Amino acid sequence: MTVRKPKDLVLWYRQPARQWEEALPIGNGRLGAMIFGGVPGERIQFNEHTIWTGQPQSYSHPGAAKCLPKLRALLNQGRKLWAKGNVEAAAAKQREAEELAMLEFMSVPLTQKAYQPCGDLWIDFPGHAHVSDYRRQLDLDTAVVMTEYRVGSDCFTREVFASHPESVVAIHLAAERPGLISCQLRLSSPHKGSTIEILGSNCLVLRGEVEPGGVCFQARVEVAIEGGKIDIGQNFLSINQADAVTLRLVAATNFVNYRDLTGDPRGSCETILSQARSRSYQKMREAHLADHRTLFRRVALDLGRSAAADLPTHERVAAFATGSDPDLFALLFQYGRYLLIASSRAGGQPANLQGIWNDQIDPPWDSKYTCNINTEMNYWPAEVANLAECADPLFAALDELAQTGRETARVHYDASGWLLHHNFDLWRGTAPINASNHGIWVTGGAWLSWHLWEHYLFSGDRAFLAQRAYPIMRESARFFTEYLVEDVETGWLISGPSNSPEQGGLVMGPTMDHQIVRALFGACIEAARILGQDEEFALKLEGMRRRIAPNLIGKHGQLQEWLDDIDDPTNQHRHVSHLWAVYPGDEITWRDQKFLQAARQSLVFRGDAANGWSMGWKVNLWARFLDGDHALLVLRNLFTLRYDTDIIYESGGGLYPNLFDCCPPFQIDGNFGVTAGIAEMLLQSHVKESAQSPNFIIHLLPALPSSWSDGKVRGLRARGGFEVDLEWKSGILTHVALRCGKRCRCTLLYRDSFLRRDLDPGETVVSPGEFM
Ligand code: FUC
């Protein structure tokens, strides 16, 4: 099967970026940079993944566990009052619980720390104020940002990429004729007290400290010229009449791990540079392309080429409302994959709320890790969109969160095991932060543990399950065996105090918690059986799992968000937490129409317009409801309910000119949610052949929108270790190829027809006629 040529995968513009959200992102998982493509001056704003405020610390609140029974008692009294119709008195009890928790239960300090920018590299080109034929672009297939223009008749080109093999940002300046490149280089940093100096004849050095005793960093830009000369100025370098210039930008900190700040930023910069400078620009570029393409080219998606594809990207987005441009969805899908490769590579920190890109000292929500949807959404595409390695930083963070979360379990709940509330930071804070009405939410760690299990389901990697996944999952489950309490009204085991993320305040028994804990217990039971261990513990989980409060259908035909039937059908809140069991969970599927319809009703009430990440979630949900046209409607809203380009981003939803998702403001989760959602529209594999079977049904084109009449996709992944290629014409499947590493059996589903096949290792082509 041939797929669209990669050269189409380009974001491009006829003007330099006027603001940060128009600049183009690159990253290698350690360094991130935003390229403005300016004339006469370039700005490259850059980040290093471990530059955060704060320092190693515990966030525990000594003695917190003492008030847990009081909180539960107050909330239960409130429920009783509510049942008697005494709504105001019930609310007063809830307030009392929240106030008590603020005094006695919350994290110390109350807030976590913030991800920080590192600095800016400025390149000024005298005489380049008036240029023609200007173009800047990001090619997703090469992960290179290019800026090109003419001054008079001479063409100038800049290329910038973030090399993962070399750990540098490489910048190359070239011109059509020798001797034309003259520019000045400066570094700056928004951190107070940072210093700039010149090292030797060709290196700018930035040194800074985020706060006394905290993260110290160093960044260097080393210049290599072909022809011409370098003059040293007061804290700047002047390049005169060079033929070509290569800059190597590196940065490092004293961060070793969340408990240790004894690293040597200077030594790290020197080591990285001493290796990188031995490679020519072309060699670095080749190694970068090979590295990037190994990941990026695994998946290709073609939804048909549209005339609008030739427009600059922001004009294309503007034209979207009135035209047809399915290719833009393919671009957005691949952009999410590109961003994950750029922001999350083994050895680095996980992608945070802004991936790895942040220019602010006081970024929105601290640009940290919010785990009541956002961090998880960042990793939704990892398995299905064939970038499983990119989840490694998340799994490494989980190793650490399971350590700090153990202290939180002990101090705040007098329980064993571990938990994470709704945020963590570089220091792996796990205690409840900000405010008790939403900070006390207990299933962040359990949800993230689900990602470990999913990694096993997709890969079948038993060693991963035994060594990395199960120990963390089991200890997360252990916490809940001690934390769940018997509901005074029903006898069910319920979660509490907790909340349904970001609304309704502190309660007993939010549905989402029960769905997540049920999924975690189920995964642990299965993992223990696969690994042949912990039989007794698994039996205990089985017994408790049966007693967890079930999903309930309320008086509006909705899936209840809370234990009591208090959902408001006019509530259009962005969080759709109680639909977790539909996506990303797998408890409510098309096999279970009664609950699927109730969940669908809940989503209908929530509406189709929302902020960026919420629309990302809804695309996935509509895909799981097997309604491709509705998934597409939400996707379209993402492009059309949006910003004004000059006064940015007051209302929710939308995309920025560089296709960054708008929360608002910029937040990367929506990009990743959409990528996962488009994959979910084309392929699903979360439903088992039967309750007892370990095998999943591979559902082909489960939610194909009617307007995506012709298309092809290569390399999506299905649970069970499969790679899948599909092609369709006039809305009908015309080609299926499956690749797997071992002899196995699989069940395919297309429309209403099942097909069972035994597969040999390698590729098997299945004729769509076999479904008939
Ligand atoms: C949750 C969301 C907000 C935002 C924040 C980072 O609190 O409700 O919309 O995404 O996380």
Side-chain angles (χ1 to χ4, degrees):
M1 181 171 78
T2 53
V3 282
R4 197 162 49 113
K5 280 182 256 103
K7 73 175 166 43
D8 292 343
L9 293 167
V10 167
L11 277 64
W12 76 280
Y13 308 83
R14 290 203 181 98
Q15 308 81 18
R18 290 165 304 169
Q19 55 204 15
W20 192 83
E21 294 83 356
E22 294 180 13
L24 292 168
I26 57 166
N28 63 13
R30 286 191 61 251
L31 303 176
M34 296 292 282
I35 321 301
F36 284 64
V39 279
E42 175 66 279
R43 175 184 175 198
I44 297 178
Q45 185 274 320
F46 59 93
N47 291 90
E48 200 273 358
H49 63 148
T50 61
I51 303 182
W52 283 66
T53 59
Q55 45 197 284
Q57 68 173 91
S58 153
Y59 287 92
S60 294
H61 188 144
K66 276 204 255 97
C67 92
L68 195 59
K70 285 187 247 166
L71 295 178
R72 286 178 172 149
L74 285 168
L75 294 172
N76 280 329
Q77 287 162 23
R79 282 187 66 211
K80 278 208 179 98
L81 289 164
W82 182 84
K84 287 186 190 143
N86 204 340
V87 178
E88 267 168 40
K93 286 289 172 199
Q94 185 189 46
R95 257 195 321 277
E96 207 184 317
E98 288 172 355
E99 280 161 15
L100 175 66
M102 285 307 284
L103 291 174
E104 296 187 15
F105 196 73
M106 302 301 286
S107 167
V108 180
L110 190 57
T111 54
Q112 290 179 353
K113 303 302 174 187
Y115 181 51
Q116 296 289 288
C118 184
D120 292 87
L121 168 64
W122 308 87
I123 315 175
D124 296 316
F125 297 88
H128 288 208
H130 303 289
V131 306
S132 58
D133 297 341
Y134 178 92
R135 178 188 168 103
R136 68 185 171 101
Q137 69 168 44
L138 164 62
D139 182 341
L140 304 183
D141 182 57
T142 58
V144 175
V145 168
M146 194 194 59
T147 307
E148 206 172 55
Y149 55 85
R150 282 181 195 283
V151 177
S153 59
D154 290 314
C155 179
F156 290 82
T157 311
R158 299 172 206 157
E159 282 193 338
V160 190
F161 61 85
S163 158
H164 180 65
E166 237 71 56
S167 268
V168 304
V169 170
I171 302 144
H172 190 69
L173 312 175
E176 218 166 11
R177 291 185 295 124
L180 283 187
I181 300 180
S182 296
C183 57
Q184 272 188 10
L185 304 176
R186 287 179 293 121
L187 277 174
S188 68
S189 172
H191 292 282
K192 282 203 190 88
S194 56
T195 60
I196 312 288
E197 61 186 78
I198 295 182
L199 193 70
S201 58
N202 68 339
C203 187
L204 285 167
V205 182
L206 160 70
R207 285 194 187 84
E209 183 183 59
V210 179
E211 61 184 52
V215 173
C216 300
F217 60 89
Q218 184 164 133
R220 293 185 179 199
V221 181
E222 195 172 280
V223 186
I225 50 173
E226 292 162 45
K229 65 184 178 76
I230 306 174
D231 290 330
I232 297 176
Q234 175 89 38
N235 292 344
F236 65 86
L237 293 173
S238 272
I239 296 168
N240 295 299
Q241 296 176 345
D243 306 337
V245 177
T246 299
L247 309 177
R248 292 175 177 84
L249 168 66
V250 302
T253 72
N254 58 345
F255 178 87
V256 178
N257 62 47
Y258 75 98
R259 286 185 295 218
D260 182 352
L261 285 184
T262 60
D264 171 15
R266 193 188 87 172
S268 301
C269 285
E270 276 170 5
T271 309
I272 296 167
L273 273 174
S274 70
Q275 285 164 12
R277 81 168 68 93
S278 65
R279 283 209 172 170
S280 68
Y281 176 73
Q282 281 314 325
K283 284 268 175 273
M284 287 197 294
R285 197 179 190 283
E286 280 162 28
H288 161 68
L289 253 60
D291 168 71
H292 175 73
R293 285 178 166 163
T294 302
L295 295 166
F296 187 75
R297 286 195 164 178
R298 285 178 187 162
V299 178
L301 173 62
D302 186 348
L303 296 174
R305 203 166 196 293
S306 12
D310 295 327
L311 291 172
T313 305
H314 58 299
E315 290 177 27
R316 198 174 163 186
V317 172
F320 186 84
T322 48
S324 160
D325 187 2
D327 190 41
L328 195 51
F329 297 119
L331 185 68
L332 195 63
F333 168 81
Q334 291 289 25
Y335 192 44
R337 296 186 65 246
Y338 167 86
L339 292 170
L340 193 61
I341 297 169
S343 61
S344 188
R345 299 294 295 270
Q349 293 298 315
N352 63 44
L353 285 172
Q354 299 189 184
I356 195 168
W357 300 280
N358 165 39
D359 66 333
Q360 295 176 42
I361 290 286
D362 187 13
W365 291 284
D366 307 314
S367 192
K368 55 186 182 306
Y369 299 95
T370 306
C371 300
N372 58 16
I373 175 63
N374 319 87
T375 303
E376 290 87 353
M377 187 176 281
N378 284 2
Y379 286 92
W380 285 354
E383 302 294 339
V384 70
N386 215 336
L387 294 173
E389 299 90 329
C390 292
D392 196 77
L394 180 71
F395 300 156
L398 273 169
D399 289 336
E400 299 175 341
L401 292 164
Q403 295 166 21
T404 56
R406 183 173 291 278
E407 182 182 321
T408 301
R410 186 173 51 75
V411 177
H412 289 248
Y413 297 90
D414 196 16
S416 42
W418 73 278
L419 89 155
L420 158 68
H421 291 85
H422 92 302
N423 268 276
F424 72 92
D425 61 5
L426 187 69
W427 317 108
R428 304 311 185 224
T430 50
I433 64 162
N434 295 356
S436 55
N437 64 355
H438 66 276
I440 305 178
W441 173 75
V442 290
T443 37
W447 186 350
L448 286 171
S449 298
W450 177 252
H451 286 240
L452 294 163
W453 175 239
E454 290 264 89
H455 183 75
Y456 167 73
L457 294 182
F458 274 90
S459 64
D461 184 343
R462 224 184 122 102
F464 175 84
L465 182 66
Q467 287 150 27
R468 280 192 91 172
Y470 180 63
I472 292 176
M473 291 160 55
R474 181 189 56 207
E475 293 312 299
S476 174
R478 194 184 303 284
F479 168 76
F480 289 99
T481 61
E482 297 176 28
Y483 162 83
L484 294 178
V485 288
E486 195 173 292
D487 178 23
V488 283
E489 303 293 321
T490 60
W492 291 325
L493 291 178
I494 60 168
S495 166
S498 189
N499 71 91
S500 196
E502 315 268 341
Q503 57 166 338
L506 198 60
V507 295
M508 296 301 289
T511 300
M512 177 191 229
D513 281 2
H514 302 149
Q515 295 175 346
I516 293 176
V517 177
R518 203 159 29 238
L520 175 69
F521 280 13
C524 286
I525 294 163
E526 209 173 325
R529 189 183 43 71
I530 293 164
L531 299 172
Q533 60 191 63
D534 292 336
E535 208 174 318
E536 217 171 288
F537 184 64
L539 275 174
K540 177 176 182 166
L541 293 184
E542 258 176 43
M544 291 187 75
R545 188 173 188 272
R546 276 194 291 271
R547 295 180 53 210
I548 296 174
N551 290 315
L552 297 166
I553 298 176
K555 58 176 180 275
H556 307 289
Q558 88 285 14
L559 192 70
Q560 283 181 209
E561 183 157 359
W562 292 277
L563 208 48
D564 298 315
D565 190 2
I566 55 173
D567 296 66
D568 170 1
T570 64
N571 174 9
Q572 301 219 320
H573 198 274
R574 61 194 179 282
H575 284 266
V576 286
S577 308
H578 51 317
L579 306 189
W580 193 93
V582 178
Y583 187 93
D586 60 8
E587 184 186 357
I588 300 179
T589 73
W590 44 261
R591 276 202 196 288
D592 185 356
Q593 282 300 325
K594 188 171 141 210
F595 281 93
L596 194 76
Q597 289 313 321
R600 191 178 182 283
Q601 185 59 61
S602 291
L603 191 58
V604 169
F605 288 145
R606 283 295 216 267
D608 299 321
N611 66 339
W613 63 255
S614 181
M615 287 201 262
W617 197 347
K618 288 174 180 175
V619 173
N620 285 277
L621 287 164
W622 283 111
R624 289 267 170 111
F625 294 133
L626 309 182
D627 190 337
D629 284 338
H630 210 132
L632 187 68
L633 175 82
V634 179
L635 271 177
R636 288 188 67 88
N637 281 352
L638 192 72
F639 282 103
T640 53
L641 299 179
R642 66 166 198 285
Y643 63 86
D644 171 303
T645 342
D646 291 317
I647 314 292
I648 299 221
Y649 322 118
E650 316 248 285
S651 61
L655 298 167
Y656 288 89
N658 63 3
L659 300 188
F660 266 177
D661 169 74
C662 176
C663 182
F666 160 55
Q667 202 169 280
I668 204 159
D669 39 21
N671 287 102
F672 295 134
V674 160
T675 294
I678 291 173
E680 209 63 26
M681 289 160 78
L682 302 174
L683 184 76
Q684 293 178 18
S685 64
H686 61 291
V687 182
K688 285 198 164 162
E689 283 177 351
S690 67
Q692 291 73 35
S693 167
N695 297 331
F696 291 91
I697 294 165
I698 302 178
H699 197 168
L700 312 176
L701 304 181
L704 187 68
S706 40
S707 63
W708 290 2
S709 57
D710 297 351
K712 36 194 156 182
V713 66
R714 171 171 56 73
L716 293 181
R717 284 174 78 239
R719 289 167 187 78
F722 299 94
E723 266 193 17
V724 182
D725 303 347
L726 303 170
E727 197 169 335
W728 63 97
K729 291 204 170 64
S730 306
I732 293 169
L733 186 66
T734 54
H735 173 87
V736 184
L738 297 158
R739 285 178 292 284
C740 60
K742 55 182 192 322
R743 172 175 271 280
C744 59
R745 176 154 176 256
C746 81
T747 299
L748 302 174
L749 170 60
Y750 174 58
R751 297 194 167 164
D752 294 328
S753 305
F754 290 91
L755 182 66
R756 287 197 173 72
R757 287 286 295 260
D758 289 316
L759 304 182
D760 288 326
E763 181 164 298
T764 307
V765 173
V766 178
S767 155
E770 293 181 52
F771 285 102
M772 302 309 153

